[in-house]
Amino acid sequence: MDIGYIDTRGGTDAPLPFSEAVLQGIAASGGLFVPTELPRLSLDDVLALAQQPYAQRAAEVYERFGVDFARKDLDRLMGQAYGDNFDTPDICPITPVGEDGMYVLELWHGPTSAFKDMALQCLPVFFSASVEAARARGGADNDYLIAVATSGDTGKAALQGFADRAYTSIVVFYPYGGVSDIQHKQMVTQDGDNVCVFGVKGNFDDCQTSVKQMFADEGFAESLLAQRNVALSSANSINWGRLLPQVVYYISSYAQMVADGRLEAGDLLDVCVPTGNFGNILACWYAKQVGTPIGQIICASNTNRVLTDFIETGVYDISDREFVLTPSPSMDILVSSNLERQLFELTGRDSERIRTWMQDLTEAKCFEVDAETRTALQDTYRAGSVDSVTCLQTIKAVFDEYGYLLDPHSAVAWKVAAEYKGTRPLLVASTAHWAKFGANVYRALHGIDPDEPLPAEVADLSGAGLNREIARETGHDDIPPALDELDEKAVRFTQTVPGSKLGVEAAIADFLQG
Ligand SMILES: *Cc1c(COP(=O)(O)O)cnc(C)c1O
C-alpha cells in the first residue's frame, strides 16, 4: 500500500515518503505530517503479532503503514531499536495491578527510564537510515541538527538516541529549574561528541515556543545550511517518526493481552493515557483507527487541565490560564502540539479550519471548534484531571493496597482511569519509572504536600540517594543502574539562555561554531 505524508495545514503539493517526512520533522507551513490514508488490520492480523518478538511486531506495523524501507531493512533497524538497550525482552511488559481488571503498560524499560525511549530509541535509527537513503538517491549531502524543546524526559531520551549517530548532532533546550534533579543530571551528563544541552530561562511553554519560533525562522535555517551545511530537524513528538513507534505498542499490547488470556479476542480494551503534548494518546487513537479493538480512550491531565477543558467544552483557551508546576512535569503544558493532527482527522481533514484555529491560538491564545467537531471529540475521548495532592495520595494508596509503585505521571492516569473503570479491562499507560521522580514519590509515601520541602533527614540527599532511601523503605530495589550511578558522572553542560527565539538561535550558532 502506498502511503505518503501530507501537511495538516495543506502546504504540501505532493505527499512525501515516510523517510522524507522524518527528516523534515515539521512541514514548511508549520503544520504536521500525517499519512494520506491509514492501513487496515484485521483482528487476526492484530492477534498474530503476539507470536513475534517486539522488534518484529514493530517492523510489521511499519510495513503496514507503507514506510519506504524494505522489510529486511525494517527488521534490521527494529532489531537495533528494540534489543538489549531495554532491560526486558518484552520491551514494554503489562502488569496486572489488583483484581479488578486494571493493567499497567510499563513503557519505561528503556535506557532513560521514561516512555520517550519507546520512540526515541527508534526514531534516530530511522533518521540515520533516511539520510543514507537520501544520499544514495543523489539527494543533498547536508548533515542535520536536531533541536529539541523538552519538559524533561524527551531531552534525555533524544540525547541518548542521537548520541554519536552519523550525519546528525543534537541540541536540547529545557526549562531551567523546571525539571527534576534526576532529569537535570541525566541531561547535563550526557556523553557523545555531537550533543549539547542548554537551560532556558522560563517555563516549558516559553522554552517550546522559543524553539518553535526558531524553526519558523526561514532566514535562520537558510544561514545554517549555507554556512554550515546543516539542516534543522525535530525529534519532538511533532515528528511522525516519533508517533509511529507509539502506535506499535498499543496494537502489540492488545495482542499480548489476548495471548496471555487477559482478554477475549475481539473484546474491547479501554486505555487511559497521562497526556501532555498529546502524542501518546494520539498514537492510541491511530491504533484503534487501524483496527485494534480499543474501547474508550481516556485523556488524563494534571492541574494544567487545558486538554480536559477542551474535550469538555470545545474551547481551547490559554489566554488567561496559569502555567502550574506539578509533580508530573512532563504533563505541565499549555500548548499541546499533536492535537492539531487529531483535529485534522476529526474535521475530515479540513486544512482550512486547522489553519484558522492555529492562527487564533497564536494570535488570541484561544480557539473554539464548531459544534460538529466538538461532538466528534467527545465521542472519541473521555477526559479527567487530577490535582497535585490527589496525585501523590494515589501513589500512596496504590502502593499500600497493591505494593505497586507508580511515578506521578502514571498516578495521574491511574486515578482518572479508576474513575472511568467499567466492566472492561483497562490498560493504564505508565510513562516513567518511579525513580525518575523520587522526591515526589518520597513525599507521597510520607504524606508530605507537593510544594512542601523534604524533611531534614533526607533534604541533603541527591536524587539517587533519595531513591535508595525509597528502595529501602518500600523494598522496591529495582532502581535502574543508569539512574543510580548519576552522581558519579561529570556535568558537561551548564549554560543557560534567554527564553526567546534569539536566545535559542544564538545558542545553536554557538554550538555549531564548536
Ligand atoms: C512525555 C511524557 C508524558 C506526556 O506524553 P505526551 O505524548 O506528550 O502526551 C507523560 N508522562 C511522561 C513521564 C512523559 O515523559
Side-chain angles (χ1 to χ4, degrees):
M1 178 163 162
D2 250 8
I3 297 178
Y5 287 84
I6 52 170
D7 165 8
T8 47
R9 298 190 196 175
T12 32
D13 299 329
L16 299 176
F18 170 79
S19 62
E20 278 298 316
V22 165
L23 291 181
Q24 282 194 28
I26 187 166
S29 67
L32 308 187
F33 290 116
V34 286
T36 44
E37 57 185 311
L38 293 180
R40 184 78 206 163
L41 276 68
S42 70
L43 182 59
D44 284 344
D45 294 336
V46 171
L47 299 180
L49 291 180
Q51 307 309 316
Q52 303 172 1
Y54 192 86
Q56 273 164 275
R57 298 181 191 184
E60 179 74 29
V61 172
Y62 267 53
E63 190 173 42
R64 300 281 181 151
F65 269 83
V67 302
D68 51 328
F69 287 95
R71 179 57 192 253
K72 69 172 191 341
D73 293 328
L74 283 175
D75 283 334
R76 178 176 52 83
L77 296 170
M78 288 303 180
Q80 292 171 22
Y82 302 111
D84 53 18
N85 43 343
F86 284 74
D87 68 11
T88 160
D90 292 342
I91 305 298
C92 50
I94 297 166
T95 303
V97 176
E99 306 289 322
D100 302 329
M102 296 277 277
Y103 296 85
V104 174
L105 171 59
E106 298 178 352
L107 297 168
W108 36 258
H109 287 270
T112 79
S113 307
F115 100 98
K116 302 292 193 289
D117 288 328
M118 294 301 299
L120 280 166
Q121 287 295 297
C122 186
L123 169 67
V125 167
F126 278 89
F127 202 95
S128 295
S130 299
V131 177
E132 263 160 32
R135 292 185 175 200
R137 284 195 303 267
D141 69 345
N142 59 276
D143 285 343
Y144 285 85
L145 174 70
I146 310 290
V148 176
T150 184
S151 57
D153 291 336
T154 301
K156 176 60 183 183
L159 289 162
Q160 186 80 25
F162 279 100
D164 292 326
R165 278 207 167 269
Y167 319 117
T168 58
S169 49
I170 171 164
V171 55
V172 166
F173 297 93
Y174 69 94
Y176 191 72
V179 301
S180 79
D181 173 60
I182 293 265
Q183 288 176 317
H184 180 246
K185 284 196 182 125
Q186 277 188 303
M187 289 190 278
V188 298
T189 60
Q190 175 66 43
D191 298 321
D193 288 336
N194 63 338
V195 308
C196 196
V197 179
F198 293 95
V200 171
K201 292 177 198 133
N203 64 33
F204 174 57
D205 272 292
D206 300 326
C207 179
Q208 176 160 261
T209 304
S210 307
V211 172
K212 274 189 187 161
Q213 288 171 346
M214 178 277 295
F215 274 118
D217 181 350
E218 284 173 36
F220 181 66
E222 279 162 18
S223 75
L224 288 185
L225 197 55
Q227 290 165 20
R228 315 223 160 259
N229 200 29
V230 165
L232 283 166
S233 190
S234 156
N236 277 106
S237 60
I238 50 180
N239 192 316
W240 178 257
R242 276 280 300 274
L243 256 155
L244 192 48
Q246 302 185 343
V247 179
V248 174
Y249 53 72
Y250 288 110
I251 308 176
S252 163
S253 292
Y254 186 90
Q256 191 63 48
M257 286 185 68
V258 173
D260 292 345
R262 290 173 171 154
L263 198 60
E264 289 295 325
D267 282 1
L268 293 179
L269 172 67
D270 291 342
V271 181
C272 182
V273 184
T275 299
N277 231 339
F278 215 77
N280 199 3
I281 195 167
L282 179 65
C284 183
W285 180 83
Y286 278 114
K288 177 175 178 174
Q289 211 61 17
V290 301
T292 313
I294 289 170
Q296 291 190 340
I297 306 179
I298 306 158
C299 174
S301 307
N302 63 26
T303 308
N304 297 293
R305 45 172 287 150
V306 61
L307 284 167
T308 307
D309 290 342
F310 178 59
I311 291 167
E312 283 170 4
T313 63
V315 181
Y316 197 98
D317 187 355
I318 55 169
S319 62
D320 192 23
R321 201 177 273 271
E322 201 191 339
F323 180 95
V324 184
L325 289 176
T326 74
S328 45
S330 297
M331 300 158 69
D332 289 346
I333 192 162
L334 295 179
V335 179
S336 192
S337 306
N338 270 295
L339 195 58
E340 177 167 347
R341 286 191 166 103
Q342 185 66 72
L343 292 173
F344 182 72
E345 297 291 355
L346 291 181
T347 55
R349 314 195 131 207
D350 184 345
S351 301
E352 194 153 325
R353 263 187 280 174
I354 301 302
R355 275 200 305 273
T356 309
W357 292 335
M358 294 304 130
Q359 195 175 350
D360 288 350
L361 184 60
T362 308
E363 288 167 8
K365 304 226 170 292
C366 180
F367 68 89
E368 178 169 9
V369 299
D370 50 89
E372 196 190 341
T373 306
R374 189 183 63 228
T375 305
L377 192 66
Q378 290 168 347
D379 287 345
T380 309
Y381 292 107
R382 301 287 168 273
S385 77
V386 171
D387 65 46
S388 299
V389 170
T390 309
C391 166
L392 297 196
Q393 285 169 349
T394 304
I395 294 175
K396 177 152 170 58
V398 171
F399 177 70
D400 287 348
E401 200 161 343
Y402 309 112
Y404 192 88
L405 206 45
L406 293 164
D407 95 286
H409 304 77
S410 310
V412 167
W414 177 282
K415 181 69 184 172
V416 173
E419 280 160 17
Y420 277 104
K421 177 75 177 70
T423 52
R424 289 177 200 150
L426 198 160
L427 189 67
V428 176
S430 173
T431 48
H433 190 286
W434 64 264
K436 276 204 91 161
F437 300 96
N440 279 313
V441 171
Y442 186 92
R443 285 188 181 90
L445 295 172
H446 290 262
I448 303 167
D449 273 353
D451 39 15
E452 260 183 77
L454 290 172
E457 62 270 23
V458 295
D460 292 336
L461 293 177
S462 69
L466 189 60
N467 283 342
R468 281 179 220 146
E469 176 60 22
I470 296 168
R472 199 183 58 72
E473 289 178 9
T474 60
H476 276 265
D477 53 0
D478 63 331
I479 302 171
L483 297 186
D484 199 35
E485 290 153 14
L486 274 176
D487 290 340
E488 280 109 72
K489 294 204 73 176
V491 171
R492 297 185 61 204
F493 306 105
T494 54
Q495 266 179 282
T496 56
V497 299
S500 67
K501 183 185 84 160
L502 289 179
V504 162
E505 290 181 354
I508 289 176
D510 215 42
F511 167 53
L512 289 177
Q513 215 119 47

